[in-house]
Amino acid sequence: MHHHESEEQSHPHKEHSHCSGHVGRHGHDHTHHGHHHHGQGGNKQGLLIALFITVGIMILEFVGGLWTNSLALLSDSGHMLSDAGSLALSLIALWFAAKPSSTNKSYGFLRIEILSALFNAVTLFLIAGLIIWEACGRFLHPPAVASGSMMLIACVGLMANLLSAWSLMRKGDVHGNLNLRSAYLHILGDALGSVGAIVAGGAMLIFGWYVADPIISIIVSLLILKGAWAILKSTVHILMEGTPAAVSLVEVKQILEGIDGVINVHDLHIWTITSGLDSLSCHLLIADDQDSQVILQKAIHLIEERFHITHATIQIENSTNVHSELKV
């Protein structure tokens, strides 16, 4: 019993979902790029604005660090250099993700956004580690700093970072797109670093507490690590083909088995291709007297309506179909 996507002739809007017979999944090119990247232009604009601002402030802090003899500013300019690289990487990932799919990459380059987010998360860990290491050294030998000038430059840096963060929030999808969120966290880390530099500069200027610099640095680093850990967990979960956090595998199974005529659901898998694009595949065992196309259409509709998954592969089977034992 083989069903070769005949439902799509009468339901052209279901182009991402298809049914196959027992011998395998027969289909066509899943052209999902237009469906997924409706916000790509805004993401790109936000990243470009943030990149230009970050490079400008990086140069300002480097020159200012040399002028004021502030190791804190020089370190932050190095942090800015890392952030500029991360923002550039995020932009490159967006460009690659927009490339069309090919015969040897049927999903195109969508996953490169997740790889970019993973790389950014790892660099956040490295930056936080370096700051903590430097802070430990400063506890023993706090350096003399031109704290007034340092605070002024840090204030300019803070305003620039907030402007960068605002541009990403306004134009991009920092909540739904992991790639953009990782870049946003880099900028937020910079903003926290600037706040820390201002607070530390004030403590040094007013009270002469040079130890405030390493204390604030460690606090900022821990906040950076918290955000980096969240990104790292999410990206690894996606690369391990984990079930999306917003979808319950048990609930999907219950809903599909609740369709009249469906005996059971097996080989059910749900995974994320990239942020905002989830996929599903499963086998539906139905009663021999049921219309497979009617059941297929109900399943497609329920999956899209309840879980917002439009990229589904559903294999319909009855008692005449026998396949080997499934390993996963």
Side-chain angles (χ1 to χ4, degrees), residues 44 48 68 88 93 107 120 126 142-143 181 184 198 208 265 287 313-314:
K44 196 176 291 183
L48 274 171
T68 62
Y107 282 119
N120 281 345
L126 293 174
R181 194 158 87 221
Y184 176 75
I198 293 166
V265 178
T313 302
I314 301 171

Side-chain angles (χ1 to χ4, degrees), residues 121-130 132 185 189 192 218-232:
V122 170
T123 58
L124 281 168
F125 268 91
L126 293 174
I127 288 166
L130 288 172
I132 292 171
L185 277 175
L192 287 170
I218 288 175
I219 292 171
V220 170
S221 297
L222 292 175
L223 290 172
I224 291 172
L225 285 174
K226 184 176 180 292
W229 176 247
I231 291 288
L232 190 66

Side-chain angles (χ1 to χ4, degrees), residues 216-288:
I216 294 292
S217 297
I218 288 175
I219 292 171
V220 170
S221 297
L222 292 175
L223 290 172
I224 291 172
L225 285 174
K226 184 176 180 292
W229 176 247
I231 291 288
L232 190 66
K233 278 203 308 182
S234 297
T235 53
V236 170
H237 184 72
I238 288 172
L239 292 172
M240 291 294 291
E241 307 289 5
T243 303
V247 180
S248 167
L249 202 72
V250 174
E251 188 181 354
V252 172
K253 191 172 190 296
Q254 288 174 345
I255 286 173
L256 290 176
E257 287 183 344
I259 298 172
D260 289 338
V262 174
I263 298 171
N264 71 53
V265 178
H266 54 282
D267 197 22
L268 174 61
H269 300 280
I270 307 171
W271 67 100
T272 300
I273 305 301
T274 190
S275 300
L277 180 60
D278 298 330
S279 286
L280 176 149
S281 70
C282 69
H283 295 194
L284 295 185
L285 178 62
I286 68 172
D288 292 348

